[in-house]
Amino acid sequence: MNILITGNMGYVGPGVAAHLREVFPEARLVGVDNGWFAHCLTSHNILPEIALDEQWFRDVRSLQVEDLKGFDAIVHLAAVSNDPMGNRFEAVTDTINRQASIRLAELAVDAGVRRFVFASSCSVYGVAEDGRARSEQDAVNPLTAYARSKIGTEEGLLQLKRNNLVTTSLRFATACGISDRLRLDLVLNDFVAAALATGTISVLSDGTPWRPLIHVKDMARAIEWALVREADENGDFLRINVGSDEWNYQVRDLAHAVARILGGIDVSINAEAPPDRRSYRVDFGLYRQRAPKHQPQETLDSTIAGLRDGLRAIKFSDPEFRQSNLIRLRVLERHLESQALAEDLRWRRKEIIPDGIAA
Ligand SMILES: NC(=O)c1ccc[n+]([C@@H]2O[C@H](COP(=O)([O-])OP(=O)(O)OC[C@H]3O[C@@H](n4cnc5c(N)ncnc54)[C@H](O)[C@@H]3O)[C@@H](O)[C@H]2O)c1
């Protein structure tokens, strides 16, 4: 099997590459990433990309049909990948996340690719005021540019003339857990980092919003499933929530779980905060039914302990971590400040690689 993984050099990608290498040892794995966060490694021993056969430093907006010929499957992770970045780069979020994703799937059809796995998000549910867990049959309510880009891509994939392209849109819960390119702009990861660096977790909301979570390792298991799942020959399209019912947590419960496992941590909850509208519980019944052998396996306690151990291993102690390279928006802002990236988030290569060196 020949598999192209886009956006493999981010937070989720390294675990996906390692997992696919383990379960498909004979596969040809190729990564394509523009490398925004390539330098943000948090495991210093081994470059995660050695799990691949090839790494391309390319922008998915520039891929052509010839690039995709010979691949059996595309795992499409490349994106402007969270709400703060989507708010800052609203137009580019639409261009990369929606337009380029639909174009990539069209090229995949033309190139004869047979599987397309899209990393969507449960954030499409946005707010679920009645507290009922949302299933794939429910109306969506995207509140942000990022969430709109994900649902817009799903609509495009649904309407696409897919021929034989079996397409799966995995609506992932919010990711968490240790990775070779760790991010601290995710709720659980932020709480563990704050606890280690400051001894305190300050919950900015009143702690009541619901957030479904999933470990990055369990995301990789789901991607494996989407690559092999049973499907109609004629370009079956499936959108499916990926996570587990037990991992629907309220934010305050996450804070208390971190405090319990790390010990000696103060938790402060902002009881006066206006309600955070982004609150939703998700029903993962369809995923349980369709993917019984690829269900999430991690536990919350071991995820927190894994983050603690991973952060200690890199001697993490920075109370200003929200300004650091462990926050994706900060990395992009620095690339823009140094003019390495243009506003459309493409590299200005001449500035990065002076002519003399490039030649
Ligand atoms: N982290 C989460 O909580 C979560 C939850 C649900 C879904 N997802 C989705 O999973 C995917 C991976 O998420 P992540 O957390 O690893 O994101 P990330 O931001 O850490 O990584 C995304 C990668 O895509 C690359 N990329 C972005 N635009 C590109 C382009 N135009 N061309 C080539 N490469 C490009 C970046 O360089 C980066 O390496 C994303 O699509 C994201 O929306 C993430």
Side-chain angles (χ1 to χ4, degrees), residues 6-14 16 32-38 56-63 76-82 85 92 95-97 100-101 118-123 146 149-150 170-176 179 181-183 185-186 212-214 216 219 223 328 332 344-347:
T6 76
N8 66 294
M9 302 182 84
Y11 170 57
V12 175
V16 172
V32 55
D33 196 298
N34 56 13
W36 290 338
F37 311 111
W56 303 347
F57 290 101
R58 300 268 303 275
D59 195 298
V60 292
R61 287 170 283 186
S62 308
L63 289 175
H76 184 39
L77 304 176
V80 178
S81 60
N82 65 17
M85 287 195 290
V92 190
T95 312
I96 294 179
N97 293 17
S101 297
F118 173 60
S120 187
S121 166
C122 285
S123 66
Y146 170 71
S149 75
K150 293 294 182 186
L170 301 170
R171 287 183 178 171
F172 287 116
T174 298
C176 62
S179 155
R181 285 195 183 81
L182 180 62
R183 310 291 187 218
D185 47 20
L186 294 153
L213 296 189
I214 185 168
V216 283
M219 293 173 80
I223 288 169
R328 282 168 279 204
L332 292 187
D344 65 359
L345 299 181
R346 289 183 193 265
W347 295 113

Side-chain angles (χ1 to χ4, degrees), residues 83 120-135 138-144 146-147 171-175 186-187 208-214 241-242 244-245 247-251 276-284:
D83 287 337
S120 187
S121 166
C122 285
S123 66
V124 297
Y125 296 115
V127 60
E129 268 149 359
D130 56 9
R132 185 176 55 78
R134 292 309 194 247
S135 81
D138 282 303
V140 294
N141 188 6
L143 297 178
T144 62
Y146 170 71
R171 287 183 178 171
F172 287 116
T174 298
L186 294 153
V187 59
T208 58
W210 288 93
R211 248 346 104 67
L213 296 189
I214 185 168
N241 298 332
V242 177
S244 60
D245 291 348
W247 280 62
N248 276 302
Y249 289 104
Q250 283 181 290
V251 168
D276 182 342
R277 290 193 68 217
R278 292 170 310 159
S279 175
Y280 49 90
R281 289 170 61 220
V282 175
D283 180 335
F284 296 100

